[in-house]
Amino acid sequence: MAGPGPGAAPPRLALALALLAVLLAIKYYRDAEAARQQELALKSLGNEGLFLFSSLDTNKDLYLSPEEFKPIAEKLTGVPAVSESEEEETPDPDGETLSIVAKFQPLLMETMTKSKDGFLGISHVALSGLRNWTAPAAPMSVLLARQFKAFLPPKDNLDLGDPWWIIPSELNIFTGYLSNNRFYPPPPKGKEVIIHKLLSMFHPRPFVRTRFAPQGAVACIQASSSFYYTIAFRIHAEFQLNEPPNFPFWFSPGQFTGYIVLSKDSSHIRDFRLFVPNNRSLNVDMEWLYGASESSNMEVDIGYLPQMELESTGPSVPTVIHDENGNVLDSRDPSGEPIQFVFEEITWQQEIPWQEAAHRLEVAMYPFKKISYLPFTEAFERAQAEKKLVHSILLWGALDDQSCPGSGRTLRETVLESSPILALLNESFISSWSLVKELEELQSNRENEFYSKLAKLHLEKYNFPVEMIICLPNGTVIHHINANYFLDITSMKPEDVESSIFSFSTNFEDPSTATYLQFLKEGLHRAKPYLQP
């Protein structure tokens, strides 16, 4: 049989080209249809109506499924639907219950940067959800002890301090962030359920998974006995304070941390506490939209929350009491008072300090903390003793929690956690990060002129939002770069970068790592005359 002529394409190639043409045609049709549907929706609903619809349409198919419509149904009927994961729970009639109280002091509005000019240009409506949140949604709640089994370690042979993920983070620098255009949290699943229940005591709209990394919840064993664990945990979650027709307002505490003392079969809980740390001058990030689209302008601020805490009123207790023959006893004594239970004292066989457990969880969330970041003044004292430079990061929100500004998040998720940077910082620098607000306070404090001078030298070089600084042990700044500029030049092509100081190296594929290495090495080079023995 004669084959195809010299000018004819092989049958398989022709078939592949035809298939490609069909696929392109289908994609073109679907894109055109999606654009048409979007245009029709805009005409029907208007900008703000489409904005609300889109916030509910989580899969962006321009149809609302019953699951997507659930938040509106709950709002209209006032009856919360039971999630599938909660339906699967079968309460043990003989199980124990734990009483938990919520303690809450609202955010101090005067600590927000926008308060300095009287919130000029910010509508009262935008901040209405924040201003109206003055008390916990549920001051007290009674939960089943068994529901806290989510806090138990995944296996029995974990060492103290070895972290595991209760809720794994699903985001990283490559996946990007989740949408800001949302009002209602997705239904919690699996181990998210108990954390959602707990955070709902503060506010009815907690998002167990934050919009940006690192998400989730991490835990480790702090202490162990024959029958009990003390589990330390850290949770990253946030709240949506506004509802339609207002635009979204996100309230993101730096972190939730705490501990739980529970039996190894989760049948009994001895103690529980969850709280937002309040030891820093700023501990909450806030972001709110000013328009009916994902690309609308966003306002950002940071503030101080004095108290946000959950605490058990005592150990978990049985819902019913049995005698030695299995007969049900009255849970109250003859005078009508609840029976007081006496619990055995726990003898811990292994234990690590709370600070060590908290650090292990911090490193699990933020690998850049594998090296120490010392407090500002302590860093200079250590640098003087070890004759090293200070690598300092000055920023608006905390570098190691969720109140961190956007460019700070990018830094900690990329260059600061890369192996070459960690190695050089560990070898040649003393690292520190500081809040601008705290250095402003240190500068104005005249009790220690040297510390005041250190703060002044830093603040003179600071540009919003994040400044990376290299300085001598006496505070003299020998090199610095703004994070926004750094991120801009590392996103450019090498031939477009004018400054030879921040030229790219061919030793590393990642241009941001190579550029940050060059920044650190340039600092070391400039410091040579000052650090000679």
Side-chain angles (χ1 to χ4, degrees), residues 405-433:
S407 52
R409 296 173 200 158
T410 304
L411 281 175
R412 72 189 183 194
E413 292 168 24
T414 54
V415 295
L416 292 182
E417 69 172 44
S418 69
S419 297
I421 301 299
L422 288 171
L424 184 56
L425 289 176
N426 187 55
E427 178 186 355
S428 303
F429 294 86
I430 303 298
S431 291
S432 176
W433 69 261

Side-chain angles (χ1 to χ4, degrees), residues 479 485 489 494 496-505 514-515 518-519 522 526:
H479 204 9
Y485 174 68
I489 64 170
D496 294 335
V497 180
E498 295 180 3
S499 174
S500 60
I501 294 176
F502 301 112
S503 60
F504 293 93
S505 167
T515 306
Q518 188 68 22
F519 165 66
E522 178 64 22
R526 294 184 184 186

Side-chain angles (χ1 to χ4, degrees), residues 345-363:
E345 184 177 345
I346 301 174
T347 302
W348 298 110
Q349 297 163 339
Q350 295 178 295
E351 191 171 6
I352 60 174
W354 165 258
Q355 292 82 355
E356 181 179 345
H359 178 68
R360 297 284 191 94
L361 301 180
E362 184 176 67
V363 172

Side-chain angles (χ1 to χ4, degrees), residues 284-350:
V284 177
D285 177 68
M286 290 159 283
E287 302 177 356
W288 60 98
L289 291 178
Y290 266 132
S293 74
E294 185 69 30
S295 59
S296 299
N297 290 335
M298 174 174 276
E299 197 77 62
V300 180
D301 209 333
I302 194 167
Y304 179 71
L305 182 73
Q307 186 179 40
M308 194 175 202
E309 181 178 355
L310 300 178
E311 192 170 23
S312 57
T313 59
S316 62
V317 294
T319 51
V320 293
I321 307 170
H322 297 89
D323 64 15
E324 57 189 12
N325 297 318
N327 300 314
V328 177
L329 299 176
D330 195 337
S331 60
R332 296 181 178 272
D333 63 25
S335 66
E337 294 296 318
I339 292 177
Q340 299 297 314
F341 293 92
V342 178
F343 299 95
E344 80 279 8
E345 184 177 345
I346 301 174
T347 302
W348 298 110
Q349 297 163 339
Q350 295 178 295

Side-chain angles (χ1 to χ4, degrees), residues 5 61 127 161 192 207 346 403 406 408:
D61 63 353
L127 301 179
E192 297 174 355
F207 281 72
I346 301 174
S403 67

Side-chain angles (χ1 to χ4, degrees), residues 142-161:
V142 178
L143 300 173
L144 297 171
R146 291 283 189 186
Q147 291 179 296
F148 289 83
K149 65 184 178 183
F151 287 92
L152 286 174
K155 53 186 179 179
D156 295 330
N157 59 349
L158 279 179
D159 291 332
L160 268 64

